[in-house]
Amino acid sequence: MLIRNVEVEGHGRVDVRIAAGRIAEIADGLPGRADLDGRGGALIPGLHDHHVHLMALAALAASVRVGPADVGGRAGFAKALRSGNPGEWVRAVGYHESIAGELDRWVLDELVPDRPVRVQHRTGALWVWNSAALRAAGLTGDGRFWREDERLRSFAPPVRLDLEGVGRRAAALGVTGFTNADPRPADGLVGMLSALPQRLVVMNRDGPVKMMLDDATLPAPEELAARMAAARPRTVAVHCATRVQLLVTLLALDQAGPVKGDRIEHGSVIPLETVPWLRRLGVTVVTQPHFPVERGREYRTDVDPDDRPHLYRCRSLAAAGVPVAAGTDAPFGTPDPWSVMRAAVEREGKETVGRRAALDLFTGEPEHPGVPRRVRVGAVADLCLLHVPLQEALATLTGDTVRAAFVGGHRIQPG
């Protein structure tokens, strides 16, 4: 493929030839017939979403959204759960306690007693089922299931998955790759995800080993270090959503010894005094700078005041030499990486980053997210062509500037 008249950083307006899935030449006036006229738009590395839950995202098409922005309190929540055909299962997602308080089977029964209902908390960690759903599945208890997705799969009816739509919408935003971050991927997941046109890294399959931590079941540092050692030579990606989870992880990495490519997922709370420790270990933090924007109102009441200054660091990590990248965490956050970039630039406080740094959060190497890719000869041709020059795109940070996306030189989104 020969793309003419594109802006490439460090080269100006040039032509770019792609062969065997890689960038073969970058120069002005390359011979041959052009396959595409770039019209002066920037050619940049394709965006890679470094932390996403693809099957849950694909299930959104068959789900009822009940987040704080979707329903107006308890009455709106009840109305949303009663939507659809009578008697059919309802799969609701995005719930937060600010809507109707803590949920269990009996609270849901008061709202919807006559049809099976299951509600997922916005963290993705908790499902709550009403009595009708429990009876239909032959289950008992209070209806609250903490991190039991794997077990629950066999009890609920299958959900229609819109993987084609996920891939299409992501391509339109210039996304050429995903890292699926499920801690316990279902059997056959890799085969199902092959329907996506994007390049894939699947944790616990061909990517890093995902390690989930919860405060209630937190292992001792020695135990976590033993799990890390058993995973070597593979890298690890450790879920750290609280201060204590991060500290245990850093102690374990010290004992096990870090490997280039080890990752902290989320880094929701990173006390300032731990930043030099992160740098010394060389781990990459894959964070969600949009969460303080999307969830700011709830964080003001849910998060300990001592933790609020340390939420989802970006600028301070990068300034200290800690590799940083971003993932949308969709569907638990927006699936639009450009929206994440804007949040990283516009969020309140001292953790804002520059516009180019925001773009680089999504242009890292799939296996090494903190190492930004560049359009250069020899690089894999996972590319995003914009309608406009780079500086104009950085001024707006919106997916509207995306014209086409390419994976290995093959167009996945028409230009």
Side-chain angles (χ1 to χ4, degrees):
M1 172 177 283
L2 179 59
I3 306 175
R4 290 204 185 279
N5 191 24
V6 290
E7 179 195 65
V8 174
E9 191 172 21
H11 296 270
R13 281 203 183 189
V14 290
D15 304 334
V16 175
R17 191 186 308 279
I18 299 169
R22 293 182 177 271
I23 298 172
E25 295 179 273
I26 301 175
D28 189 24
L30 289 176
R33 179 181 176 182
D35 296 283
L36 183 62
D37 184 351
R39 305 171 194 158
L43 188 67
I44 65 174
L47 307 183
H48 191 99
D49 189 337
H50 295 289
H51 185 115
V52 64
H53 301 274
L54 291 167
M55 297 300 280
L57 182 57
L60 274 186
S63 304
V64 177
R65 302 189 190 204
V66 294
D70 304 303
V71 297
R74 184 182 179 91
F77 178 48
K79 181 179 179 181
L81 295 181
R82 294 171 189 147
S83 63
N85 298 322
E88 290 185 351
W89 279 70
V90 176
R91 182 184 193 271
V93 297
Y95 182 80
H96 181 263
E97 291 79 7
S98 61
I99 297 167
E102 295 282 349
L103 296 182
D104 57 26
R105 67 184 292 180
W106 298 285
V107 173
L108 287 180
D109 287 349
E110 292 176 5
L111 303 175
V112 188
D114 57 349
R115 63 190 306 181
V117 171
R118 50 184 175 140
V119 180
Q120 186 183 43
H121 193 269
R122 76 172 182 188
T123 60
L126 174 69
W127 280 99
V128 184
W129 292 29
N130 73 348
S131 295
L134 292 171
R135 286 194 300 270
L139 298 173
T140 59
D142 63 3
R144 292 170 61 87
F145 301 96
W146 179 263
R147 296 208 188 281
E148 294 193 61
D149 293 58
E150 190 173 14
R151 182 169 80 93
L152 295 177
R153 286 185 192 122
S154 61
F155 290 106
V159 175
R160 180 176 61 85
L161 300 175
D162 185 22
L163 282 168
E164 180 182 341
V166 168
R168 182 178 64 252
R169 288 186 289 272
L173 294 169
V175 176
T176 59
F178 293 113
T179 294
N180 190 74
D182 295 347
R184 289 175 290 276
D187 292 339
L189 176 67
V190 175
M192 287 186 283
L193 294 182
S194 65
L196 295 166
Q198 282 83 7
R199 193 175 301 279
L200 294 171
V201 175
V202 179
M203 289 188 183
N204 289 338
R205 292 289 191 266
D206 57 359
V209 176
K210 177 77 176 285
M211 296 186 175
M212 286 296 303
L213 299 181
D214 289 307
D215 285 1
T217 57
L218 199 62
E222 296 79 10
E223 180 184 345
L224 184 58
R227 289 166 54 188
M228 292 176 176
R232 300 305 191 203
R234 293 178 65 182
T235 58
V236 297
V238 188
H239 170 103
C240 291
T242 66
R243 181 189 296 247
V244 66
Q245 290 170 19
L246 177 70
L247 294 175
V248 168
T249 297
L250 296 181
L251 287 167
L253 282 168
D254 257 340
Q255 293 182 37
V259 169
K260 183 179 180 181
D262 283 343
R263 302 160 48 139
I264 300 293
E265 302 300 309
H266 307 302
S268 307
V269 181
I270 299 181
L272 188 60
E273 61 269 21
T274 66
V275 174
W277 197 354
L278 286 163
R279 180 182 179 181
R280 176 172 60 79
L281 289 170
V283 295
T284 298
V285 176
V286 179
T287 190
Q288 286 76 45
H290 52 309
F291 278 180
V293 177
E294 292 182 0
R295 305 177 177 182
R297 184 180 66 180
E298 291 82 15
Y299 281 175
R300 282 191 286 273
T301 57
D302 293 354
V303 177
D304 188 302
D306 290 340
D307 286 342
R308 289 176 204 159
H310 311 296
L311 289 174
Y312 297 97
R313 291 185 179 276
C314 262
R315 185 187 189 98
S316 57
L317 293 176
V322 177
V324 184
T328 64
D329 202 24
F332 311 113
T334 175
D336 180 358
W338 297 95
S339 179
V340 178
M341 294 179 216
R342 292 195 301 275
V345 169
E346 299 169 359
R347 62 185 288 192
E348 296 179 356
K350 300 179 180 179
E351 291 299 325
T352 58
V353 299
R355 292 178 176 272
R356 178 51 192 267
L359 176 63
D360 282 345
L361 292 172
F362 287 95
T363 60
E365 296 283 349
E367 296 287 357
H368 298 283
V371 181
R373 290 170 288 133
R374 295 289 181 253
V375 178
R376 57 175 179 78
V377 172
V380 174
D382 294 352
L383 302 166
C384 174
L385 175 62
L386 305 178
H387 287 288
V388 296
L390 179 59
Q391 290 306 309
E392 188 173 337
L394 292 176
T396 58
L397 289 176
T398 172
D400 292 340
T401 61
V402 174
R403 180 180 168 192
F406 306 84
V407 172
H410 297 283
R411 189 183 306 177
I412 62 170
Q413 194 266 340

